[in-house]
Structure formats: C-alpha cells, structure tokens
Amino acid sequence: MDRGFFIDGEWRKIKGSDVFPILNPATGQRIGSTALGTAETIDQAVNVASLAFPKFSKMSANERAEILLKAADNIELAADKMAELLTKEQGKPKADNLKEIIFGAEVLRYYAGEATRIYGSIRPASSPNIRNLVNYHPVGVAGAIVPWNYPIDLYCWKIAPAIAAGCPIIVKSPHETPLAITMLVDCIHQAGMPNGCLADIPGLGPIAGDALARHPKIRILSATASIAAGQSITRASAGNLKKLCLELGGHAPFIVMPDADLKEAAMAAHRRSFSNMGQICITVNRILVHNSCHKEFVSILEELTTNTIVGDGLDKEISYGPVLNSSVSDRVQNQINDAISKGGRLISGGFKPTEKHLINGNFFRPTLIDNTPLDSLPMIEESYGPLAAIASFETENEMLEIANGLEYGLAAYIYGNDLEKVWLLAENLDFGAIGINVNDTSELQAPFGGWKMSGVGRELGPEGLMSYLEPKHLKMKLGNK
C-alpha cells in the first residue's frame, strides 16, 4: 500500500512529495510507503477546513452524533483487517491491535453521547433584572498529532471530541505507522463526515507538526508526543496563543508494598512493563519494592520475564512482538549499559534474540535490571522500550521521594492490601492518574493526562470534550426597572 493525503473528502498524491518506506518490524520487509506532508500541504488542508467550519459548527448535535455512531459501526466491521495491517506496520500482536481498534470505536460512541450533553446554564446575577446565560461554542479548526504506538486508538481520542464539538480537524498522522489509519479515515468519511472537516496528513514532526503548531487558523492543537516535542509545539504555538492539549509521556513508578499479593503484583508489572514492548506512555519504567519482599517479588518477576516468548504478532500464540525500529533497541541498550556500569545487576534479557525466525526483525528480549542505581538512565529517562528497572525502599517517605523525584507525572501504580494506606499514599503521588492494585490508568469516562512535564490538558471523559469548546457569556437586561 502506497498512500497519500486525505484532503477535502478525497485521497490525493501531491506531485513532488517526499516518500517514507514502511517496513514490517517483525520481518524487515517493505509493506508500503507514505507521502510526507509539508507546510504547504498543511496550509491547503487548513484552508479547506476553515471554509467548512461555519456549516459544520451549525450542524445539530444529533447529526454529528450520528456520524460518530456510524463511524464506530464501520470500524468494528473493518477491525479484523485493520488489526492485521496495523500489526504488519507497527508490530503489536494482532489481538492487542483488535483491542485498540475496538476501544477506538467505543471512544467514538462515547463522544456521540457527549455531543448531545453540551449544556448551558443561567448564572446568578447582581441585579434582579439581569440574566447571565453561559453557553459553549466550538473553538474552531483543530489540529492533532498522533503517535505511532497506538495510532488508531489515539486518533479516535482526538477526532471524536472535535467532531462532537463541531470542530473540523487536521491530523498529522505518524509517518511510521500510517497504513491502517487509511482504513480508519475511510470508515469516518463513509459515515457522512462532510468534506473538508477531516484531513489526514502523515509527516515529520519538525515539518508537518511544526506547521500545524504555527498555523494561525488552527485554534486548538492536541498532541501525544515526547516532552521535547511538546516544548517545541508550545514555542511554535505561542505566536497565536492557540489552545493546547499535550500528553507528553511518562516514567511510571510501580510500587510494591510489603503486604501486596506478590504474584498478582509481579504479573501486573510484567504485563505493564512489556506490553507493546514497553512502547507505551504509561508503561512501567521503575519498579520500587519494599525491602521486606524485594527478593521474593524479583524472583517471581524474573521467571515471568525470562519465560516470555517474543515473535511475529500475526502468530496467534504470540503476545509480545518486535519493537518498532532499531532506534528503540539502541536506546534501551544504551540505558542497560549505563545502569550496569553504575552497579545495576542484569537479571533477564538485555540482548537481541538470535533465533533464525527472529533475526531479520527488530526484536529485543524483555529486560530486567535489579538494584538499579537511582542516578542511572533507566531510573531518570523514559526507556520507551522493553526495559524495567528495579530498586528497593525501606520507608514510605523514601518511596515517595523517589517516585515523585522526576519531572514526569503521567501515571503511577501501587500494589498493597491495606487500602486505607495505599489510598493515602496515592494521594501523595504527583501523577495525573494512579492505578491502585490495577495496572492500567486509562478509563473512557475519566480524564487522561499528566502533571508537571508530562503535559497540559486532558483527553477522555467530559474534560476531553471541553477542550474543543469555548464558553460564551450573554449578559442581558430585562426591562428598565
């Protein structure tokens, strides 16, 4: 599949566009390519969307909800083929991709309902003949930057509230994994999305992403990216003060209290550390274990990790696939080397497998380092790969100091059977979401986003919709008395 851009209701290939090849990370084979958008491509899409905005913003909430509901149905019908294509370009096992795609459809359905619940209000007034009416209006043309790790799911997180609010949206889709997105775009367009109200332009962040951030007609930009990319977006957006919703990654601690169910905690830590080969913003980076149970917990987790089978995600028996490309494995190897050089102990993984059926792919063994020095790279920088670093703690204050000691603040996890204690500890963790005896912090009806350098704004929940709306106050005088 060799794809172009979706602008004004049609797929286009613009002459002279640079082309990026798409390789299957499990085999190294070329499976397609994508054209790469430029500032001119972005400008073309934004101008079309600006012309479509007045009519789209005046559509009834029920009409926009119907588009979202039909699109969700279309996605579910295409889910199997979409999941297979996504596995070929991104590497996640097909079963995981099916979950991603189905959840994306549920996001569309959720915001179809929220579209009909954009309520106004009458506020108290300082005078008996004054009425204060507050209502909400779509902010304008929206922009979105979608990452390669969960491209379908996070695409839906961004476009669903925009459509519900009445905002046309220009999406810079990931140039690394743009193929399954073509099917998603077709599902939405065929659901009745008006021409010009959705554009899809794969491209490089410093070029297409920067153009979105700088464009004066883009009034809100939602991006899932690294902290460095988020800082660049913020600087580029400053010229026209557009609204920003930035989810900028994390460095999640996984805390094991002395009374935790160690087997349950180890299984949860293993899955959250190595699902999608750790290429998740809420993946477990640091495992902090109380001294009293450190040895037993590590023994269980080491066995799980060593016995993990990796392979081509199209194999139904495989739950752990390749990393996206060599830059991921190179970064992980660099962090491993740094930790070991400072006194850490490698207890599982740490190498590329050499089996014949894996050698051509971007595979890397899930890796554990125990007694990891707190100043080593795995403990201070996001790995975004199959690496979990373990350290122990003695007191709760020591644990909180370690957990809260970085600039990241997206997600954290804490396991323990004394719920009163872990609840209180969770309230002292400086993160946007805390998983208490659960290893996933995302929930459709709850806000998702980070504290500190992990971002600004929120996605999902009612908060996700409000990002695309502006309040308007109407102050009205009744009569002359």
Side-chain angles (χ1 to χ4, degrees):
M1 176 188 291
D2 299 302
R3 60 154 291 178
F5 311 118
F6 188 81
I7 300 173
D8 202 13
E10 63 179 10
W11 290 102
R12 303 178 181 180
K13 289 190 177 179
I14 297 176
K15 189 176 180 180
S17 298
D18 288 340
V19 174
F20 184 84
I22 312 299
L23 306 180
N24 184 331
T27 65
Q29 295 178 340
R30 187 183 188 278
I31 59 170
S33 69
T34 181
L36 296 175
T38 63
E40 291 74 20
T41 322
I42 294 291
D43 187 59
Q44 181 182 354
V46 172
N47 287 332
V48 170
S50 297
L51 294 174
F53 172 62
K55 185 175 180 180
F56 189 54
S57 65
K58 296 297 189 297
M59 285 179 68
S60 72
N62 284 335
E63 288 177 298
R64 292 197 299 270
E66 188 62 26
I67 292 171
L68 289 167
L69 292 172
K70 287 182 179 178
D73 290 342
N74 291 345
I75 290 168
E76 289 188 343
L77 289 173
D80 190 75
K81 290 183 179 179
M82 198 184 300
E84 183 170 331
L85 182 54
L86 184 53
T87 295
K88 289 179 179 179
E89 62 178 329
Q90 196 272 343
K92 281 200 310 297
K94 184 179 176 181
D96 287 346
N97 284 329
L98 275 171
K99 291 178 184 177
E100 172 184 346
I101 292 162
I102 295 303
F103 186 74
E106 287 304 307
V107 172
L108 299 190
R109 289 198 177 94
Y110 173 76
Y111 281 108
E114 288 297 297
T116 64
R117 291 189 287 271
I118 302 175
Y119 302 129
S121 61
I122 299 176
R123 307 289 177 86
S126 56
S127 213
N129 64 335
I130 293 293
R131 298 294 181 271
N132 291 310
L133 283 71
V134 177
N135 53 24
Y136 295 88
H137 296 258
V139 66
V141 178
I145 297 175
V146 175
W148 52 260
N149 62 333
Y150 284 87
I152 301 297
D153 188 14
L154 294 177
Y155 204 106
C156 292
W157 286 28
K158 299 179 191 308
I159 65 166
I163 295 170
C167 298
I169 186 164
I170 316 300
V171 184
K172 189 209 80 63
S173 51
H175 66 281
E176 303 95 337
T177 59
L179 302 182
I181 285 172
T182 61
M183 298 181 67
L184 175 65
V185 171
D186 285 339
C187 287
I188 298 162
H189 179 64
Q190 291 163 9
M193 190 70 169
N195 291 351
C197 294
L198 172 64
D200 182 81
I201 302 172
L204 305 177
I207 298 175
D210 184 72
L212 270 180
R214 293 185 186 279
H215 205 290
K217 293 182 181 179
I218 296 287
R219 295 310 312 150
I220 175 174
L221 178 58
S222 175
T224 302
S226 66
I227 289 178
Q231 291 170 322
S232 295
I233 289 167
T234 302
R235 287 190 290 267
S237 299
N240 65 334
L241 296 178
K242 59 172 55 69
K243 295 177 73 174
L244 293 176
C245 182
L246 304 177
E247 191 269 280
L248 304 180
H251 197 286
F254 186 100
I255 300 154
V256 184
M257 299 301 291
D259 64 338
D261 182 322
L262 298 185
K263 184 176 180 180
E264 179 184 350
M267 292 175 65
H270 175 266
R271 180 60 181 167
R272 184 48 60 203
S273 296
F274 304 123
S275 176
N276 196 15
M277 283 292 100
Q279 300 166 131
I280 311 176
C281 55
I282 60 172
T283 198
V284 170
N285 290 102
R286 302 169 283 162
I287 301 176
L288 308 179
V289 190
H290 192 269
N291 278 334
S292 65
C293 58
H294 175 263
K295 183 176 181 180
E296 183 179 355
F297 174 85
V298 169
S299 176
I300 300 170
L301 182 57
E302 179 183 358
E303 183 178 2
L304 289 170
T305 304
T306 302
N307 291 332
T308 301
I309 299 172
V310 299
D312 191 329
L314 292 178
D315 184 337
K316 292 181 180 179
E317 304 301 317
I318 292 297
S319 298
Y320 300 89
V323 299
L324 180 73
N325 54 39
S326 60
S327 68
V328 177
S329 52
D330 289 346
R331 179 175 58 249
V332 169
Q333 188 65 65
N334 182 53
Q335 292 196 358
I336 293 170
N337 295 342
D338 183 75
I340 293 174
S341 71
K342 293 175 179 176
R345 184 169 67 95
L346 180 67
I347 60 174
S348 186
F351 60 91
K352 297 179 181 180
T354 56
E355 292 93 324
K356 185 176 180 180
H357 67 290
L358 302 177
I359 199 166
N360 292 324
N362 296 318
F363 292 96
F364 198 93
R365 286 295 308 171
T367 302
L368 290 177
I369 299 176
D370 195 15
N371 301 321
T372 314
L374 298 182
D375 64 345
S376 65
L377 290 179
M379 280 290 186
I380 59 177
E381 293 184 3
E382 189 173 19
S383 301
Y384 218 68
L387 169 61
I390 306 167
S392 59
F393 67 90
E394 184 62 42
T395 68
E396 293 170 7
N397 286 339
E398 179 189 5
M399 177 272 290
L400 290 171
E401 184 177 350
I402 297 170
N404 292 334
L406 302 181
E407 62 187 356
Y408 302 94
L410 184 60
Y413 310 92
I414 183 166
Y415 273 68
N417 285 327
D418 186 341
L419 288 182
E420 182 177 353
K421 176 177 286 188
V422 295
W423 189 344
L424 288 171
L425 289 172
E427 290 183 347
N428 284 283
L429 290 168
D430 298 337
F431 296 84
I434 316 293
I436 300 175
N437 294 326
V438 64
N439 68 347
D440 184 7
T441 60
S442 58
E443 187 71 41
L444 181 51
Q445 300 194 47
F448 183 93
W451 289 15
K452 300 188 287 187
M453 295 293 282
S454 284
V456 295
R458 292 295 182 269
E459 296 183 290
L460 301 183
E463 292 85 354
L465 176 60
M466 296 309 295
S467 296
Y468 294 86
L469 297 168
E470 289 280 23
K472 180 178 285 188
H473 171 211
L474 303 179
K475 184 174 182 178
M476 180 168 50
K477 182 180 179 182
L478 304 179
N480 294 318
K481 296 182 180 180

